[in-house]
Amino acid sequence: MISGANIKTDHTATRTRVRVRVPFALRLLVRFRALPRYGLGAAGLCALALTGCSFLGGVRPDEASDDKASTNAVTPAAARPARPSAPAPVPEALERVRVNVEDGAVVGVGMPMSLVFEQPVPVAERAAVERALRVTSSPRVTGAWSWVKDRNLLDGGRLDYRPREYWPTGTKVTLRAGSGPGAGAGPGGAVNRRFTVGRSLVATVDVRDHSMTVVRAGVATRVPITAGAPGMDTWNGVMVVAGKERRLLMDSSTVGFGDEYKGYYNYAVHLTSSGTYLHENPMADAHAGRSNVTHGCVGLPTDGTARRFFEEVIPGDVVQVTGAPETVDPGNGYGDWNVPWSAWLAGSALR
């Protein structure tokens, strides 16, 4: 007697026929007696039969809804698990680039991130460079990259990032090249930066009334200044402090004024690559608050005014000049803030 078989009898006049219905798994066992040489015994065969799997390649339950599916069916592409895509390679241009902000720096609210490339980036490659750069901040801030024509570089030599408005005080910013957990470990790693935005300082210079109003952390102070004389006017618009020097040699021959002056000046705050500084100037002792007599710089008196301002400012602080005839170019120092937001976005290769 076969255990588990369903037996039916059919009585006729001459004989009795017995029809035995044998489970499918046992029929397979009888039919494929050679399976043990593949390491698959009766128990394994029954398991395969019960789960709907085929020894030669079956269909998993999540791959077929029809039990008549071929035992050699191939998993449809749509049903296969998606393979993680490999990170896009970092463009070669980002392997030879200088970043203006030092890692770990504390900067003023106006500081853009500026990347200067060893070689100009061709137009066709600029979108890939931007895609490879990731900027995150806490709190989140709306910002964008834009290609800036630096006055001392060829087109495609500089790429800047700035927010729509000045950075909020206390913002923590991270710049990375590439994507994924290993981003920055290889090519492009020199780009990576983390920095913090410090307290706000915005100095507004009015060349018409020869004054400068400094608003630091919400507290305003007004001091007298002397600006560029007529024909040698100070640049109008927003400039950003790029750096400062306790004592600096200034030579008129390097900025197009021949041999009119050459000497050391104290407490020099650097504003433009064309040579604009805000610094102590002995002429300001007589002219500050009264008239404009400089070659384009903003002069402060020697009574301690220049020293106090010098000690307060950090790179990224904002100096905005009003009342002058000509606005500073975006690529003359960090003149990025003189570009309207819509035009700034248009300067991106991803527009």
Side-chain angles (χ1 to χ4, degrees):
M1 181 174 182
I2 301 176
S3 174
N6 297 318
I7 302 176
K8 293 185 178 180
T9 59
D10 182 12
H11 298 281
T12 63
T14 58
R15 64 186 178 187
T16 299
R17 290 181 298 171
V18 178
R19 283 183 283 178
V20 179
R21 190 167 296 168
V22 180
F24 178 69
L26 296 182
R27 282 187 279 137
L28 285 177
L29 182 62
V30 173
R31 191 169 186 178
F32 296 103
R33 288 175 295 175
L35 286 176
R37 71 179 169 179
Y38 295 103
L40 190 66
L45 179 61
C46 290
L48 287 175
L50 293 173
T51 58
C53 294
S54 163
F55 176 70
L56 298 178
V59 181
R60 295 195 301 270
D62 60 342
E63 293 175 347
S65 59
D66 187 349
D67 57 9
K68 296 180 181 179
S70 166
T71 57
N72 292 314
V74 178
T75 304
R80 297 181 189 136
R83 294 181 179 178
S85 58
V90 175
E92 186 178 349
L94 290 174
E95 299 179 28
R96 298 184 300 276
V97 63
R98 299 193 310 273
V99 184
N100 65 325
V101 181
E102 293 293 330
D103 192 44
V106 176
V107 302
V109 298
M111 181 61 85
M113 283 182 283
S114 186
L115 276 59
V116 173
F117 300 93
E118 186 177 287
Q119 297 293 333
V121 179
V123 173
E125 299 175 15
R126 294 179 190 177
V129 169
E130 290 186 50
R131 289 192 190 98
L133 296 169
R134 294 177 177 271
V135 178
T136 57
S137 67
S138 177
R140 295 182 64 180
V141 176
T142 298
W145 293 100
S146 192
W147 293 87
V148 175
K149 177 60 183 75
D150 190 283
R151 73 187 310 271
N152 297 322
L153 300 172
L154 296 174
D155 184 49
R158 174 175 157 188
L159 176 64
D160 284 11
Y161 182 100
R162 73 164 175 88
R164 184 168 188 168
E165 308 291 342
Y166 295 147
W167 295 103
T169 297
T171 302
K172 297 184 182 301
V173 185
T174 300
L175 167 64
R176 293 167 67 86
S179 60
V191 172
N192 296 346
R193 294 292 188 276
R194 288 183 175 87
F195 62 91
T196 303
V197 180
R199 84 290 173 270
S200 173
L201 188 150
V202 177
T204 302
V205 174
D206 189 334
V207 302
R208 293 162 298 194
D209 70 3
H210 323 293
S211 70
M212 177 173 70
T213 301
V214 182
V215 180
R216 182 182 187 275
V219 178
T221 304
R222 191 172 184 269
V223 299
I225 61 95
T226 180
M232 296 182 287
D233 302 275
T234 301
W235 291 111
N236 202 67
V238 178
M239 291 169 271
V240 174
V241 174
K244 60 182 183 179
E245 297 285 343
R246 170 62 181 79
R247 185 171 173 81
L248 182 69
L249 176 64
M250 296 188 177
D251 185 348
S252 60
S253 66
T254 64
V255 290
F257 288 117
D259 59 357
E260 291 194 29
Y261 63 86
K262 184 176 182 179
Y264 285 92
Y265 289 84
N266 297 327
Y267 308 118
V269 176
H270 194 187
L271 300 179
T272 71
S273 52
S274 63
T276 306
Y277 284 82
L278 197 158
H279 63 87
E280 184 179 82
N281 188 331
M283 291 192 299
D285 293 343
H287 296 280
R290 296 182 177 87
S291 59
N292 295 324
V293 297
T294 77
H295 291 82
C297 290
V298 177
L300 297 175
T302 63
D303 60 0
T305 301
R307 176 183 56 78
R308 287 189 294 270
F309 182 74
F310 178 89
E311 292 173 349
E312 286 185 332
V313 297
I314 61 175
D317 285 342
V318 176
V319 176
Q320 181 170 4
V321 176
T322 63
E326 191 172 351
T327 300
V328 64
D329 288 333
N332 186 3
Y334 303 128
D336 303 27
W337 297 102
N338 299 295
V339 181
W341 183 244
S342 58
W344 184 261
L345 295 177
S348 168
L350 299 178
R351 63 186 186 279

